[in-house]
Amino acid sequence: MTGKRIALVTGGNRGIGFETCRQLAHAGLEVFLASRQRGEGEQAAQQLQAHGFAVKPLQLDVSDSDSVARCLAGLARSGVEIDVLINNAGVYPTTPITDASEQEFALALQVNLLGAWRMAKAVFPGMLQRGYGRIVNVSSGLGQMNQPGGPGAGVYGISKAALNALTLELANAARGDIKVNAMDPGWVATRMGGRGAPRKPEEASITIIWLATLPPDGPNGGFFLDKRPLEW
Ligand SMILES: NC(=O)c1ccc[n+]([C@@H]2O[C@H](COP(=O)([O-])OP(=O)(O)OC[C@H]3O[C@@H](n4cnc5c(N)ncnc54)[C@H](OP(=O)(O)O)[C@@H]3O)[C@@H](O)[C@H]2O)c1
C-alpha cells in the first residue's frame, strides 16, 4: 500500500468521535470528520488541523439516506475511497420499552442501527473491490444479550443489540482483508455519558484505533472492550 489509509468517522464533532478522529490522524491516517451540523464539524476539524493533523470536515446525517448518498458521491467525485469506517454517531433514548413512543424507538433504530448499516453498505463494495477494509461499530455494553434480563436501557439497548447483530452479518459478508468488529467504549464522560462517567474519550478511542488498524491476521466479527473480547 502506498499513501495513507483514509478513514471516515461519523459523529466526529464531539465526544468519542472527535477523540477518535484525533487518534486516527495521530496514527497517520487521513481522516474525514463527519458531522450532522456542518459548522460544528468545521470547527472541530479546525481544532485538529491547528495541531497539524490531516482532518477534513464533511456534512453527514446518518439517519438520512439522501445525506449519506450525497456525502459518498462527493467523496467519489474527488477520488476518495474509504478504507476505514467508524460508525460512532449515536443517540441515547433510554425510555423503557413499555413507555417508549414509536418516535423514540424509530430514532434509536434510524441512527444507531440503520445509520451504521447505510454507511457500511455505501463503503462495502469499494472495500470488496480493493480487498481491504476496516469497519468499527461503536456499540455498548447495554446491547449485550448475555446480561441478566438481556439488553438494558430500553430502546437504546435494543438498538445496540441490533447493531451487534449487524456487525456479525457484515463480518460474514467480508472477504479478503476486510474486518468488521464492534466495541463497547465503557461509560465515558461525554455529553451522552454525563460528567460523572469514570472514563475519558481517550481510553475508549484506543480500542477503536486498534480495530481500525488491525493487521490481516486480526479478528473479524468480534465485540471488544479495552481490546478484550466481550460476550455478545
Ligand atoms: N458515552 C458513553 O458512556 C457511551 C457508552 C457506550 C456507548 N457509547 C456510544 O459511543 C458513541 C459516541 O457517543 P458519545 O458518548 O461520544 O456521545 P455524544 O457526545 O452525545 O456524541 C454523539 C455524536 O453522534 C452524533 N449524531 C447523533 N445523531 C446523528 C445523526 N443522525 N447523524 C450524524 N451524527 C449524529 C452527534 O452529533 P450532534 O453533535 O450533531 O448531535 C455527536 O457527534 C455512540 O454510538 C454511543 O452510543 C457511548
Side-chain angles (χ1 to χ4, degrees), residues 73-134:
L75 289 174
R77 273 196 302 279
S78 315
V80 174
E81 288 163 330
I82 301 300
D83 302 306
V84 174
L85 168 66
I86 313 295
N87 278 319
N88 165 78
V91 290
Y92 189 54
T94 54
T95 316
I97 196 62
T98 48
D99 299 332
S101 67
E102 199 156 322
Q103 217 176 3
E104 285 168 315
F105 204 170
L107 176 69
L109 295 177
Q110 264 303 340
V111 178
N112 298 351
L113 173 64
L114 294 179
W117 167 72
R118 275 185 199 102
M119 290 304 298
K121 194 176 165 202
V123 300
F124 215 74
M127 289 180 171
L128 283 174
Q129 210 171 27
R130 296 188 301 282
Y132 180 87
R134 301 285 180 267

Side-chain angles (χ1 to χ4, degrees), residues 11 13-16 36-37 40 60-63 88-91 111 138-140 156 160 185-188 190-193:
N13 54 301
R14 60 184 165 98
I16 295 167
R36 180 160 55 161
Q37 306 293 339
E40 293 193 13
L60 173 70
D61 181 339
V62 300
S63 70
N88 165 78
V91 290
V111 178
V138 180
S139 183
S140 169
Y156 176 79
K160 292 294 189 180
W187 184 21
V188 183
T190 61
R191 206 178 296 172
M192 184 184 291

Side-chain angles (χ1 to χ4, degrees), residues 1 11 18 20 31 42 68-69 84 88 94 111 116 126 139 141 146 155 164 180 182 192 201 229-230:
M1 220 287 301
F18 178 73
T20 297
V31 179
E42 284 170 357
V68 171
V84 174
N88 165 78
T94 54
V111 178
S139 183
N146 80 330
V155 296
N164 287 350
V180 187
M192 184 184 291
L230 275 182

Side-chain angles (χ1 to χ4, degrees), residues 21-23 25-27 29 45 47-56:
C21 289
R22 194 188 69 75
Q23 289 193 21
H26 189 254
L29 283 83
Q47 270 184 56
L48 295 173
Q49 288 160 359
H51 288 91
F53 292 124
V55 174
K56 293 178 189 151

